[in-house]
Amino acid sequence: MSRSEQVFHAGELILQNRAGVAPSYRERVAHAIRPQMPQQHRDFFESLPVLFLGLLDARGRVWATPAVGEVGFLRSRDPGHLAVGARPVLGETLWLDVRAGAKVGAVGMEMASRRRNRMNGTITAVNGEGFEIAVDLSFGNCPQYIQTRDLVWPANPPAPEAVALPDWESQSRALVAQADTFFIASRAAEMSARPIDGVDASHRGGRPGFLTINDDSSLSFPDFAGNRFFNTLGNIEADGRVGLFIPDFKSGAGVFVTGLATVDWRPDRVSHFKGAERIVDVQPEEIWYCTHALPGPAPLVSTWLLLAETGVW
C-alpha cells in the first residue's frame, strides 16, 4: 500500500484525481501527514486559547464548534495525545459525542500570526474538565485566507446562550453576510479504527460576502486553491454531511449549521472568484444562533494579502 493510500480515503483520492493532482505530488505530500504530532505542533496547540473542533452528534451528523479556555487548557503529554481541558461549546445542547471511542477533528489557528495546524483523532478518555484525543493524523496548513486578529476576551466571559432557528432570520443573515471566516467539519463515510476514517475540521476565509445564503435557504461558498489534500471535499464526496461554525468576531456570537453539502464544478458559477476552483453548496438541516459562542470580540488587524482580489457573490 502506498503512503497516499494510508492517509487519504477513497473520496479524497477521487477528488484529487478529478482536480488533476499528479500522483508524484500526492505521494510527496502524503509524507507531510503524520501519525503523531511533531514538537512544534505540540507547542503550538498548548499556546492557544481556542481550538475548533469537528464532532458527530447522536444521529451521526457533523458539527463544527469551538472549545475555549485560558492558555494551557490544551496539553500534549506525548506526541500521540492532546488533552482538551474544556467542553465543546453547545456540546450538550447539540448532543455531541465526546465519549471514549468517538472520532474528532481539530484545527488550531493562531490569529495573530496566521499559523494553522490540524489533527484528526479518536477520544480515548473523558474527565470532568474535558477529554483526551489520541492522534490519528497530524498535519500543518498554509496561512492563506486567514485574517489576523487580536483576541480581546474577558477573564470571566458570559455563558453561551443558543436558540434553534426554523430558518434564517435577520440576525443570522446579517452575521453570515459580514463573515470573512468560518470553520467547516466533515466526516468520512465510515467511522472505523482506520486513521483515514474519521472527522475533519478546517478553516475557510474570504472577503465578507464570500459565504452567501441563497433563495432556497442553502449556503454557498467558493473553494479556493489550497494544499490539494481535498480533506473536506473528499469527505463531501464520500458522505456529504458537514457542519459549519460561523463566528461574529465583533461580538463573539456565532451561527452553528449542520447539513448536507455538494460540490459544483461548473465554471460559470466559480468565475466570479479569482483563485477559486469550484463552489460548495450546503443545504442546512438545523441552524442555531448562539450569543457568546466565543468569550469576546477579536478585532480585525489585517486581511490576507490577496483577499481583495477574490471576489464576492
Side-chain angles (χ1 to χ4, degrees):
M1 181 183 291
S2 68
R3 177 61 182 164
S4 63
E5 292 172 315
Q6 297 175 41
V7 300
F8 298 123
H9 61 63
E12 293 164 325
L13 296 173
I14 289 171
L15 265 289
Q16 291 170 12
N17 289 333
R18 181 166 186 176
V21 176
S24 58
Y25 175 84
R26 177 162 55 214
E27 289 301 321
R28 186 168 69 253
V29 300
H31 289 278
I33 302 177
R34 310 170 181 91
Q36 294 185 323
M37 294 181 291
Q39 186 62 49
Q40 62 175 330
H41 286 204
R42 297 172 64 194
D43 295 340
F44 168 80
F45 282 120
E46 290 188 346
S47 72
L48 298 177
V50 59
L51 185 68
F52 298 96
L53 302 169
L55 290 162
L56 304 183
D57 66 12
R59 296 166 55 185
R61 300 179 304 177
V62 196
W63 295 88
T65 186
V68 183
E70 296 183 5
V71 172
F73 88 107
L74 300 172
R75 289 293 181 192
S76 174
R77 60 182 171 87
D78 59 49
H81 294 87
L82 181 69
V84 182
R87 296 288 182 173
V89 173
L90 299 193
E92 294 184 0
T93 301
L94 302 177
W95 292 87
L96 301 184
D97 189 356
V98 291
R99 298 171 299 175
K103 294 284 189 170
V104 57
V107 56
M109 200 163 71
E110 190 175 70
M111 297 184 189
S113 68
R114 295 194 172 99
R115 289 183 65 198
R116 174 174 45 166
N117 291 306
R118 286 158 71 182
M119 185 265 283
N120 300 340
T122 304
I123 295 175
T124 56
V126 181
N127 56 42
E129 292 184 339
F131 51 92
E132 186 172 67
I133 306 170
V135 178
D136 289 330
L137 301 172
S138 170
F139 51 106
N141 271 176
C142 68
Q144 290 190 107
Y145 308 108
I146 297 177
Q147 332 308 338
T148 59
R149 289 186 151 86
D150 282 335
L151 300 186
V152 185
W153 290 357
N156 297 299
E161 296 183 8
V163 58
L165 304 178
D167 200 351
W168 301 103
E169 38 70 78
S170 59
Q171 195 171 33
S172 57
R173 285 180 178 273
L175 190 153
V176 170
Q178 58 82 43
D180 61 19
T181 298
F182 69 90
F183 299 87
I184 181 168
S186 57
R187 57 163 291 166
E190 302 292 332
M191 291 291 115
S192 76
R194 299 192 306 166
I196 58 176
D197 289 336
V199 180
D200 182 76
S202 184
H203 154 274
R204 292 292 188 272
R207 290 173 60 184
F210 85 114
L211 177 65
T212 191
I213 302 172
N214 303 305
D215 291 341
D216 64 354
S217 294
S218 65
L219 290 164
S220 297
F221 62 91
D223 184 65
F224 295 110
N227 57 19
R228 319 288 289 174
F229 291 178
F230 291 102
N231 304 116
T232 300
L233 268 61
N235 280 344
I236 292 173
E237 171 72 21
D239 186 271
R241 285 173 285 185
V242 299
L244 276 63
F245 170 60
I246 311 162
D248 176 5
F249 286 115
K250 295 178 181 178
S251 68
V255 168
F256 296 74
V257 176
T258 190
L260 191 66
T262 55
V263 182
D264 188 344
W265 296 73
R266 291 178 295 173
D268 57 320
R269 287 191 73 197
V270 80
S271 62
H272 298 289
F273 299 92
K274 183 176 180 179
E277 298 178 334
R278 61 225 122 231
I279 300 295
V280 178
D281 299 307
V282 180
Q283 187 62 56
E285 183 175 335
E286 209 168 303
I287 306 168
W288 288 74
Y289 184 90
C290 180
T291 57
H292 313 300
L294 296 173
L300 181 68
V301 175
S302 64
T303 59
W304 171 244
L305 181 62
L306 303 178
L307 197 68
E309 302 179 15
T310 58
V312 294
W313 291 98

